Amino acid sequence: MGIRTAAVAATVLAVTLSACGSSTEKSSGNADGTGKKLTVWIMEGTNPDSSAYFDAAKKMFKDTTSADLDIQMVPWASAKDKFTTAIAGGTTPDVAEVGSTWTAEFADAGALADLTEQVKDTKLDGDLVAALKDAGTVDGKLYGMPWYAGIRAFLYHKDIFAKAGITTPPKTWADLKSAVDAIKKTQPDVIPFVVPGASEFTVTPFIWGAGGTLAALDGDRWTSRISDTHAVEGITFLADIALTQKSSTPAAATWNEKDVLTAYGKGNVGMVVAGSWTPTTLRKNSPTVAAKTGAFTVPGKNGMAQSFAGGSHLAIFEKSNNKKLAFEFVKLMTTGDLATRWGQESHYFPGRTSLLSDRATSGDDITKVFATQMSQGAASVPVSPLWGKVQGKKVIPTMMQSILSGKAAPRQAAETAAKDMDDIFTAQ
């Protein structure tokens, strides 16, 4: 099934053997769930008050299938370990919310059911947000049904831009550099653009915006591409803005995205890269700044850059004895009123392009910008079952921190990051 993840590979044989007896759905060909109950794991905290939502989901599921739902909330912080333990022990639920960067790993381990044909049969395959669909696809088969996602774009302080004479938000790298210069010239006490060292998804749009990529499949093995010419060009551009143009602050070398939003909320930062879910937090914590905030898509070298669309899939586990019934639940959650309601309550975007288009036209000005970024400029990290280890080792943040702290030049840091990636990819 492709490359095996080191942490899970040792358990694959046991999982596969334990799942063999249940890999074929034991049903009469329909999703009648009379007397049955599905066990579902959902990540805790995405929707801060989801009890009413899942009460509605349970009732709707009961009305349509006659089956019950056992919804179990799982904290994000412990979820990966819980999944790994469950896969090893054969105690997985029927359905679970799976982080989009985990799906390839679990699918490669043989733990997830192939949803390709069911999705095609329901005519949903052409209505899935491409970046989320790509993240859930391994060897041409869909294992994760796109549920919801967020994406990063730029937030900017309208008053700071106005004082600097910036009438149109930046659309290219040249525009971004000009905006930084204008803010510095007119408002020397303002930080024009914060560049954080501990946020990999601030730098990846600049790598993609230069035409670079993070890693690529070479035959049946992934190899790093972060030290290739185009990738280094993007990294260098961002480093030059932060260090040569002095658009950022030295303290930001260790900042994460939460630190960036806190700094922006104080009112003396011109622009930041932020998630589509953060305006809600900004309105709560810094209402005055929020009222003066606008948004624009991430500038690339010659136009809009891609930005990472990260979120969750709904996956059915191979060990489930109720796969057809489980897919009825997946459909219920990703279509119609429940899909729309989840997006509204969680402040994330739905995983279907038709619902995303609705948000792009009916949302407020900031929501429309993020929806445009999602629909026209979204990307996935490499769909490798080993990418989770790359993130776990903080390869990209470590690279950026070394650059922003002055310990390494961009190419040197990128070459170190490439070696770290390839060490992970080859340690199978």
Side-chain angles (χ1 to χ4, degrees), residues 1-2 103-105 107-108 116 133-143 383-385:
M1 238 184 128
T103 304
E105 179 179 340
D108 192 71
T116 309
K133 182 180 179 180
D134 291 346
T137 301
V138 178
D139 295 335
K141 297 178 180 179
L142 184 71
Y143 292 92
V383 189
S384 163

Side-chain angles (χ1 to χ4, degrees), residues 40-59 69 71-76 97 147-148 329 333 338 341-347:
V40 179
W41 289 359
I42 298 293
M43 299 300 102
E44 187 175 48
T46 303
N47 183 341
D49 186 14
S50 61
S51 56
Y53 175 90
F54 284 112
D55 284 345
K58 289 176 182 179
K59 182 180 186 306
L69 290 175
I71 304 289
Q72 300 178 14
M73 307 306 292
V74 180
W76 275 107
E97 174 185 353
W147 184 19
Y148 69 88
F329 173 74
M333 295 287 281
L338 284 179
R341 179 175 170 181
W342 183 264
Q344 292 170 341
E345 292 184 6
S346 66
H347 305 289

Side-chain angles (χ1 to χ4, degrees), residues 158-417:
K158 293 180 179 179
D159 286 359
I160 291 174
F161 269 46
K163 189 173 181 179
I166 305 167
T167 57
T168 303
K171 295 182 179 180
T172 65
W173 284 0
D175 295 340
L176 188 60
K177 291 184 71 172
S178 295
V180 168
D181 284 340
I183 293 171
K184 285 177 58 182
K185 182 178 179 179
T186 58
Q187 299 152 92
D189 293 334
V190 168
I191 302 171
F193 168 35
V194 172
V195 180
S199 169
E200 69 176 280
F201 298 125
T202 296
V203 63
T204 49
F206 289 90
I207 292 172
W208 291 323
T213 191
L214 304 176
L217 196 59
D218 185 7
D220 64 352
R221 186 183 299 279
W222 285 88
T223 59
S224 172
R225 293 289 184 267
I226 200 167
S227 61
D228 287 2
T229 300
H230 291 304
V232 172
E233 182 183 8
I235 295 166
T236 301
F237 174 81
L238 187 60
D240 284 347
I241 275 194
L243 301 176
T244 304
Q245 276 194 279
K246 301 186 184 302
S247 77
S248 190
T249 173
T254 60
W255 285 4
N256 58 28
E257 292 184 32
K258 183 178 179 180
D259 298 324
V260 170
L261 193 65
T262 297
Y264 179 79
K266 294 178 181 178
N268 68 333
V269 172
M271 52 187 152
V272 294
V273 174
S276 52
W277 56 94
T278 60
T280 300
T281 302
L282 189 66
R283 284 190 286 270
K284 178 181 178 181
N285 296 339
S286 307
T288 301
V289 173
K292 300 175 180 179
T293 292
F296 58 93
T297 56
V298 181
K301 186 175 181 181
N302 298 305
M304 185 194 304
Q306 289 181 308
S307 182
F308 172 63
S312 287
H313 297 126
L314 288 175
I316 297 172
F317 279 84
E318 183 64 26
K319 191 171 173 58
S320 173
N321 289 317
N322 299 293
K323 292 190 184 68
K324 289 184 180 178
L325 190 61
F327 189 71
E328 291 302 312
F329 173 74
V330 170
K331 285 196 299 181
L332 190 71
M333 295 287 281
T334 56
T335 60
D337 292 342
L338 284 179
T340 301
R341 179 175 170 181
W342 183 264
Q344 292 170 341
E345 292 184 6
S346 66
H347 305 289
Y348 281 83
F349 292 116
R352 292 178 55 209
T353 55
S354 56
L355 297 178
L356 179 59
S357 296
D358 290 342
R359 294 287 294 277
T361 56
S362 63
D364 59 33
D365 289 344
I366 290 178
T367 298
K368 289 177 181 177
V369 169
F370 281 106
T372 298
Q373 183 76 61
M374 177 74 80
S375 61
Q376 299 180 25
S380 172
V381 294
V383 189
S384 163
L386 293 168
W387 190 257
K389 288 186 173 293
V390 173
Q391 292 185 311
K393 195 174 178 181
K394 300 184 184 302
V395 171
I396 296 175
T398 298
M399 175 191 74
M400 285 307 299
Q401 287 174 333
S402 69
I403 294 169
L404 295 176
S405 64
K407 295 179 180 178
R411 174 162 292 284
Q412 177 189 2
E415 289 173 351
T416 299

Side-chain angles (χ1 to χ4, degrees), residues 3-198:
I3 305 167
R4 291 288 189 262
T5 305
V8 182
T11 70
V12 171
L13 181 59
V15 174
T16 304
L17 291 174
S18 67
C20 283
S22 61
S23 61
T24 300
E25 177 66 35
K26 300 179 181 70
S27 79
S28 59
N30 56 44
D32 180 13
T34 303
K36 295 182 179 181
K37 179 186 288 187
L38 283 186
T39 301
V40 179
W41 289 359
I42 298 293
M43 299 300 102
E44 187 175 48
T46 303
N47 183 341
D49 186 14
S50 61
S51 56
Y53 175 90
F54 284 112
D55 284 345
K58 289 176 182 179
K59 182 180 186 306
M60 195 175 296
F61 189 67
K62 183 78 169 181
D63 289 345
T64 56
T65 68
S66 300
D68 294 313
L69 290 175
D70 176 17
I71 304 289
Q72 300 178 14
M73 307 306 292
V74 180
W76 275 107
S78 59
K80 187 72 179 294
D81 289 342
K82 185 177 178 70
F83 276 120
T84 302
T85 300
I87 291 170
T91 58
T92 50
D94 293 291
V95 184
E97 174 185 353
V98 177
S100 59
T101 60
W102 301 347
T103 304
E105 179 179 340
F106 297 160
D108 192 71
L112 303 183
D114 177 8
L115 306 180
T116 309
E117 293 306 314
Q118 292 105 309
V119 173
K120 285 183 179 178
D121 289 345
T122 55
K123 312 295 185 185
L124 292 173
D125 56 317
D127 193 30
L128 304 181
V129 172
L132 278 181
K133 182 180 179 180
D134 291 346
T137 301
V138 178
D139 295 335
K141 297 178 180 179
L142 184 71
Y143 292 92
M145 180 67 167
W147 184 19
Y148 69 88
I151 198 163
R152 291 158 182 83
F154 270 74
L155 297 180
Y156 73 98
H157 196 299
K158 293 180 179 179
D159 286 359
I160 291 174
F161 269 46
K163 189 173 181 179
I166 305 167
T167 57
T168 303
K171 295 182 179 180
T172 65
W173 284 0
D175 295 340
L176 188 60
K177 291 184 71 172
S178 295
V180 168
D181 284 340
I183 293 171
K184 285 177 58 182
K185 182 178 179 179
T186 58
Q187 299 152 92
D189 293 334
V190 168
I191 302 171
F193 168 35
V194 172
V195 180

